[in-house]
């Protein structure tokens, strides 16, 4: 597993073909956002943490199906 990219590891548990609003796509969006912040590219707009937490619960629910 250590040789797989984050995208490939995510595809093991979520459907990669789900489309733009799918849990897999949302995980990829947040991972890209995390990488931007981690590498010093701060966003001009704020992150609504309450909305993100709600999305994380929705993604978690997709994992338990």
């Amino acid at each position: 597993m250590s040789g797989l990219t984050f995208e490939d590891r995510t595809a093991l548990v979520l459907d990669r073909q789900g489309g733009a609003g799918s849990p897999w796509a949302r995980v990829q969006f947040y991972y890209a956002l995390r990488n931007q912040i981690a590498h010093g590219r701060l966003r001009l707009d704020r992150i609504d943490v309450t909305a993100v937490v709600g999305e994380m619960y929705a993604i978690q629910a997709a994992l338990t199906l």
Side-chain angles (χ1 to χ4, degrees):
M1 290 276 283
S2 64
L4 296 176
T5 65
F6 181 79
E7 182 177 325
D8 290 337
R9 284 180 283 164
T10 305
L12 292 173
V13 294
L14 293 171
D15 182 14
R16 189 183 288 211
Q17 306 301 320
S22 70
W24 185 84
R26 298 308 299 161
V27 167
Q28 296 307 310
F29 168 79
Y30 284 118
Y31 184 65
L33 179 61
R34 174 252 172 235
N35 285 340
Q36 290 173 4
I37 294 168
H39 292 279
R41 292 197 340 234
L42 300 178
R43 297 172 57 98
L44 296 177
D45 55 330
R46 305 253 181 208
I47 297 172
D48 182 353
V49 175
T50 304
V52 172
V53 168
E55 283 201 69
M56 292 298 143
Y57 279 120
I59 291 166
Q60 178 188 20
L63 292 170
T64 60
L65 294 177

